[in-house]
Short mmCIF file of all heavy atoms in Angstrom, two decimals:
data_model
loop_
_atom_site.label_atom_id
_atom_site.label_comp_id
_atom_site.label_asym_id
_atom_site.label_seq_id
_atom_site.Cartn_x
_atom_site.Cartn_y
_atom_site.Cartn_z
N GLU A 107 -16.57 48.80 37.02
CA GLU A 107 -16.96 50.02 36.39
C GLU A 107 -16.26 51.22 37.12
O GLU A 107 -16.04 52.32 36.40
CB GLU A 107 -18.56 50.31 36.55
CG GLU A 107 -19.28 49.37 35.80
CD GLU A 107 -19.36 47.95 36.27
OE1 GLU A 107 -19.32 47.68 37.54
OE2 GLU A 107 -19.37 47.03 35.43
N ASN A 108 -15.85 51.13 38.37
CA ASN A 108 -15.20 52.29 39.12
C ASN A 108 -13.71 52.31 39.24
O ASN A 108 -13.12 53.09 39.95
CB ASN A 108 -15.91 52.58 40.36
CG ASN A 108 -15.60 51.73 41.57
OD1 ASN A 108 -14.84 50.76 41.51
ND2 ASN A 108 -16.33 51.95 42.53
N VAL A 109 -13.03 51.35 38.62
CA VAL A 109 -11.60 51.21 38.66
C VAL A 109 -11.04 52.53 37.98
O VAL A 109 -11.37 52.75 36.81
CB VAL A 109 -11.07 49.94 38.05
CG1 VAL A 109 -9.58 50.08 37.87
CG2 VAL A 109 -11.46 48.75 38.87
N PRO A 110 -10.27 53.31 38.67
CA PRO A 110 -9.82 54.56 38.09
C PRO A 110 -9.01 54.43 36.72
O PRO A 110 -9.22 55.34 35.78
CB PRO A 110 -8.84 55.12 39.10
CG PRO A 110 -9.28 54.61 40.36
CD PRO A 110 -9.73 53.14 40.04
N GLU A 111 -8.35 53.32 36.45
CA GLU A 111 -7.46 53.14 35.38
C GLU A 111 -8.30 52.24 34.22
O GLU A 111 -7.73 51.96 33.24
CB GLU A 111 -6.23 52.40 35.64
CG GLU A 111 -5.37 53.02 36.73
CD GLU A 111 -5.78 52.62 38.13
OE1 GLU A 111 -6.64 51.60 38.35
OE2 GLU A 111 -5.32 53.29 39.10
N ARG A 112 -9.51 52.00 34.42
CA ARG A 112 -10.33 51.23 33.52
C ARG A 112 -10.23 51.56 32.17
O ARG A 112 -9.92 50.76 31.24
CB ARG A 112 -11.78 51.16 34.10
CG ARG A 112 -12.69 50.37 33.21
CD ARG A 112 -14.21 50.42 33.76
NE ARG A 112 -15.13 49.59 33.07
CZ ARG A 112 -15.69 49.90 31.95
NH1 ARG A 112 -15.63 51.14 31.48
NH2 ARG A 112 -16.43 49.01 31.35
N ASP A 113 -10.41 52.80 31.76
CA ASP A 113 -10.41 53.28 30.38
C ASP A 113 -9.04 53.03 29.79
O ASP A 113 -9.05 52.63 28.57
CB ASP A 113 -10.85 54.65 30.27
CG ASP A 113 -12.35 54.92 30.64
OD1 ASP A 113 -13.13 53.85 30.65
OD2 ASP A 113 -12.70 56.00 30.93
N VAL A 114 -7.95 53.25 30.49
CA VAL A 114 -6.62 52.98 29.99
C VAL A 114 -6.43 51.56 29.62
O VAL A 114 -5.84 51.08 28.69
CB VAL A 114 -5.60 53.55 31.00
CG1 VAL A 114 -4.27 53.34 30.48
CG2 VAL A 114 -5.88 55.03 31.13
N VAL A 115 -6.80 50.71 30.63
CA VAL A 115 -6.75 49.30 30.52
C VAL A 115 -7.46 48.83 29.23
O VAL A 115 -6.81 48.02 28.41
CB VAL A 115 -7.25 48.48 31.71
CG1 VAL A 115 -7.19 46.99 31.55
CG2 VAL A 115 -6.48 48.80 32.91
N ILE A 116 -8.68 49.19 29.07
CA ILE A 116 -9.37 48.78 27.87
C ILE A 116 -8.76 49.37 26.61
O ILE A 116 -8.67 48.71 25.57
CB ILE A 116 -10.93 49.33 28.05
CG1 ILE A 116 -11.58 48.51 29.10
CG2 ILE A 116 -11.66 49.19 26.65
CD1 ILE A 116 -12.91 49.04 29.56
N ALA A 117 -8.28 50.54 26.66
CA ALA A 117 -7.68 51.22 25.55
C ALA A 117 -6.32 50.44 25.07
O ALA A 117 -5.98 50.40 23.86
CB ALA A 117 -7.28 52.68 25.67
N CYS A 118 -5.69 49.75 26.02
CA CYS A 118 -4.54 49.03 25.83
C CYS A 118 -4.88 47.57 25.48
O CYS A 118 -3.97 46.69 25.35
CB CYS A 118 -3.65 49.09 27.05
SG CYS A 118 -2.79 50.69 27.26
N GLY A 119 -6.20 47.23 25.43
CA GLY A 119 -6.49 45.88 24.94
C GLY A 119 -6.75 44.91 26.06
O GLY A 119 -6.89 43.71 25.82
N GLY A 120 -6.74 45.45 27.27
CA GLY A 120 -6.88 44.52 28.44
C GLY A 120 -8.42 44.67 28.97
O GLY A 120 -9.26 45.30 28.45
N ARG A 121 -8.48 43.86 30.15
CA ARG A 121 -9.77 44.03 30.90
C ARG A 121 -9.55 44.10 32.33
O ARG A 121 -8.38 43.81 32.69
CB ARG A 121 -10.59 42.74 30.62
CG ARG A 121 -10.00 41.44 31.16
CD ARG A 121 -11.04 40.29 30.94
NE ARG A 121 -10.51 39.04 31.41
CZ ARG A 121 -10.89 38.59 32.61
NH1 ARG A 121 -11.48 39.18 33.49
NH2 ARG A 121 -10.21 37.46 32.90
N VAL A 122 -10.47 44.52 33.07
CA VAL A 122 -10.30 44.73 34.52
C VAL A 122 -11.00 43.53 35.28
O VAL A 122 -12.11 43.01 34.75
CB VAL A 122 -10.96 45.95 35.10
CG1 VAL A 122 -11.18 46.08 36.54
CG2 VAL A 122 -10.27 47.23 34.43
N ALA A 123 -10.43 43.00 36.22
CA ALA A 123 -10.98 41.92 37.02
C ALA A 123 -10.88 42.29 38.56
O ALA A 123 -9.86 42.78 39.00
CB ALA A 123 -10.24 40.65 36.86
N ILE A 124 -11.99 42.01 39.31
CA ILE A 124 -12.02 42.32 40.76
C ILE A 124 -11.82 41.00 41.44
O ILE A 124 -12.44 39.98 41.05
CB ILE A 124 -13.45 42.92 41.18
CG1 ILE A 124 -13.81 44.13 40.26
CG2 ILE A 124 -13.45 43.11 42.61
CD1 ILE A 124 -12.80 45.20 40.33
N VAL A 125 -10.74 40.99 42.23
CA VAL A 125 -10.39 39.74 43.03
C VAL A 125 -10.06 39.98 44.43
O VAL A 125 -9.88 41.09 44.85
CB VAL A 125 -9.03 39.21 42.33
CG1 VAL A 125 -9.17 38.88 40.83
CG2 VAL A 125 -7.83 40.18 42.48
N GLY A 126 -10.06 38.89 45.15
CA GLY A 126 -9.75 38.86 46.56
C GLY A 126 -10.93 38.71 47.42
O GLY A 126 -12.10 38.69 46.99
N ASP A 127 -10.70 38.67 48.82
CA ASP A 127 -11.85 38.58 49.69
C ASP A 127 -12.39 39.98 49.95
O ASP A 127 -11.75 40.98 49.66
CB ASP A 127 -11.46 37.75 50.82
CG ASP A 127 -10.30 38.47 51.72
OD1 ASP A 127 -9.72 39.37 51.22
OD2 ASP A 127 -10.03 37.78 52.82
N PRO A 128 -13.49 40.04 50.70
CA PRO A 128 -14.02 41.38 51.07
C PRO A 128 -12.97 42.20 51.84
O PRO A 128 -11.98 41.61 52.49
CB PRO A 128 -15.17 41.08 51.93
CG PRO A 128 -15.64 39.65 51.59
CD PRO A 128 -14.33 38.90 51.19
N LYS A 129 -12.94 43.49 51.56
CA LYS A 129 -12.02 44.36 52.22
C LYS A 129 -12.26 44.45 53.63
O LYS A 129 -12.63 45.58 54.23
CB LYS A 129 -12.16 45.75 51.45
CG LYS A 129 -11.09 46.77 51.94
CD LYS A 129 -9.89 46.59 51.16
CE LYS A 129 -8.95 47.75 51.59
NZ LYS A 129 -7.77 47.78 50.86
N ASP A 130 -11.92 43.42 54.36
CA ASP A 130 -11.99 43.30 55.82
C ASP A 130 -10.80 43.62 56.51
O ASP A 130 -10.55 43.68 57.75
CB ASP A 130 -12.47 42.00 56.34
CG ASP A 130 -13.94 41.66 55.84
OD1 ASP A 130 -14.71 42.63 55.57
OD2 ASP A 130 -14.35 40.53 55.74
N HIS A 131 -9.66 43.87 55.78
CA HIS A 131 -8.35 44.00 56.21
C HIS A 131 -7.80 45.23 55.56
O HIS A 131 -7.93 45.44 54.49
CB HIS A 131 -7.41 42.80 55.98
CG HIS A 131 -8.02 41.48 56.41
ND1 HIS A 131 -8.71 40.80 55.61
CD2 HIS A 131 -7.92 40.77 57.58
CE1 HIS A 131 -9.23 39.67 56.26
NE2 HIS A 131 -8.61 39.72 57.35
N SER A 132 -7.09 46.02 56.34
CA SER A 132 -6.32 47.21 55.77
C SER A 132 -5.21 47.49 56.72
O SER A 132 -5.21 47.51 57.93
CB SER A 132 -7.18 48.33 55.54
OG SER A 132 -7.37 49.09 56.82
N THR A 133 -4.09 48.01 56.09
CA THR A 133 -2.91 48.46 56.93
C THR A 133 -3.27 49.57 57.75
O THR A 133 -2.93 49.67 58.83
CB THR A 133 -1.83 48.84 55.84
OG1 THR A 133 -1.39 47.66 55.22
CG2 THR A 133 -0.50 49.29 56.72
N THR A 134 -4.16 50.58 57.26
CA THR A 134 -4.58 51.63 58.11
C THR A 134 -5.18 51.21 59.33
O THR A 134 -5.05 51.76 60.36
CB THR A 134 -5.43 52.66 57.18
OG1 THR A 134 -4.76 53.08 55.99
CG2 THR A 134 -5.96 53.80 57.90
N ASP A 135 -6.17 50.31 59.11
CA ASP A 135 -6.91 49.82 60.32
C ASP A 135 -6.07 49.13 61.26
O ASP A 135 -6.09 49.20 62.49
CB ASP A 135 -8.00 48.91 59.88
CG ASP A 135 -9.18 49.50 59.26
OD1 ASP A 135 -9.29 50.80 59.36
OD2 ASP A 135 -10.02 48.80 58.47
N LEU A 136 -5.02 48.24 60.76
CA LEU A 136 -4.11 47.53 61.60
C LEU A 136 -3.26 48.62 62.48
O LEU A 136 -3.13 48.48 63.56
CB LEU A 136 -3.15 46.67 60.78
CG LEU A 136 -3.75 45.38 60.13
CD1 LEU A 136 -2.85 44.74 59.24
CD2 LEU A 136 -4.21 44.47 61.24
N LEU A 137 -2.84 49.62 61.82
CA LEU A 137 -2.06 50.59 62.45
C LEU A 137 -2.88 51.34 63.45
O LEU A 137 -2.44 51.59 64.65
CB LEU A 137 -1.42 51.65 61.41
CG LEU A 137 -0.34 51.07 60.60
CD1 LEU A 137 0.00 52.07 59.44
CD2 LEU A 137 0.90 50.80 61.32
N LYS A 138 -4.12 51.70 63.22
CA LYS A 138 -4.97 52.38 64.12
C LYS A 138 -5.24 51.44 65.32
O LYS A 138 -5.21 51.88 66.54
CB LYS A 138 -6.31 52.67 63.45
CG LYS A 138 -6.37 53.99 62.64
CD LYS A 138 -7.78 54.23 62.02
CE LYS A 138 -7.70 55.32 61.03
NZ LYS A 138 -8.99 55.40 60.39
N ASN A 139 -5.53 50.19 65.15
CA ASN A 139 -5.78 49.25 66.20
C ASN A 139 -4.51 49.11 67.05
O ASN A 139 -4.70 48.97 68.30
CB ASN A 139 -6.31 47.92 65.68
CG ASN A 139 -7.75 47.99 65.16
OD1 ASN A 139 -8.47 48.89 65.46
ND2 ASN A 139 -7.99 47.04 64.14
#
Side-chain angles (χ1 to χ4, degrees):
E107 291 75 32
N108 73 5
V109 169
E111 307 87 8
R112 179 179 184 272
D113 292 341
V114 176
V115 172
I116 292 168
C118 289
R121 69 178 178 91
V122 171
I124 305 302
V125 299
D127 61 352
K129 184 83 174 184
D130 294 336
H131 308 90
S132 80
T133 301
T134 300
D135 289 345
L136 288 172
L137 290 170
K138 282 180 187 174
N139 290 338

